[in-house]
Amino acid sequence: MSVVKMNVLTVPAEMREELERRFSNRAGIVESADGFEWFELLRPVDGTDRYLVYTRWRSEEDFKRWTESQAFQRGHAQAAAEAGAQGHGHGQGHGQGQGQGHGHEQAQGHGHGHGHGGPAASGAEVWSFEVVQSAGPKA
């Protein structure tokens, strides 16, 4: 079964547009990764300041290979450099974590938006799930 990684980003209201711009500038990088199945950036609409970065992978091993890949490192380094040139910070979109129970992991390293010039997100953690059931629209 597939695995889902959700990076939970705490984003102040004044940084929302910047965060979304940074993600759109990186569009397309993850789609070529072996085992990648899906990506969505989910904007909060009910008064919370927490964005969800949803990715689905064929396996935990595929996700781990992606986070250790040169493409992942280059993509984040390029985003950090571009953000730094504009006076804004940018860091990793998916922190690697140690299991903390309750189906989620605390991100280690930098959350999305940390780097040169200041963070777009004030906090980040990664939640990990296995897909047990899945359904789409009926034909």
Side-chain angles (χ1 to χ4, degrees):
M1 270 293 176
S2 299
V3 297
V4 168
K5 299 293 181 174
M6 295 200 329
N7 196 357
V8 183
L9 306 175
T10 303
V11 182
E14 66 274 9
M15 294 304 293
R16 284 176 152 204
E17 192 173 306
E18 177 65 16
L19 179 91
E20 292 177 22
R21 185 192 61 76
R22 291 178 193 177
F23 266 98
S24 67
N25 286 346
R26 291 186 51 231
I29 295 173
V30 72
E31 284 90 331
S32 61
D34 187 39
F36 169 80
E37 295 179 350
W38 202 258
F39 162 86
E40 290 178 317
L41 175 61
L42 306 176
R43 177 190 301 140
V45 295
D46 60 358
T48 182
D49 59 357
R50 300 177 87 186
Y51 276 73
L52 297 179
V53 183
Y54 173 100
T55 57
R56 190 175 68 211
W57 298 86
R58 178 178 52 207
S59 69
E60 181 70 28
E61 293 74 25
D62 289 319
F63 172 74
K64 187 170 184 170
R65 268 194 300 278
W66 161 246
T67 62
E68 295 170 351
S69 73
Q70 288 184 353
F72 178 87
Q73 300 301 328
R74 273 195 314 267
H76 290 95
Q78 177 184 350
E82 290 171 1
Q86 297 171 4
H88 300 287
H90 183 96
Q92 294 184 354
H94 297 281
Q96 293 199 7
Q98 304 262 337
Q100 302 292 322
H102 307 296
H104 70 277
E105 302 171 352
Q106 291 293 341
Q108 294 182 347
H110 298 296
H112 193 87
H114 290 264
H116 307 286
S122 61
E125 59 184 281
V126 176
W127 295 347
S128 298
F129 300 88
E130 291 180 338
V131 177
V132 179
Q133 295 183 18
S134 184
K138 292 184 178 185

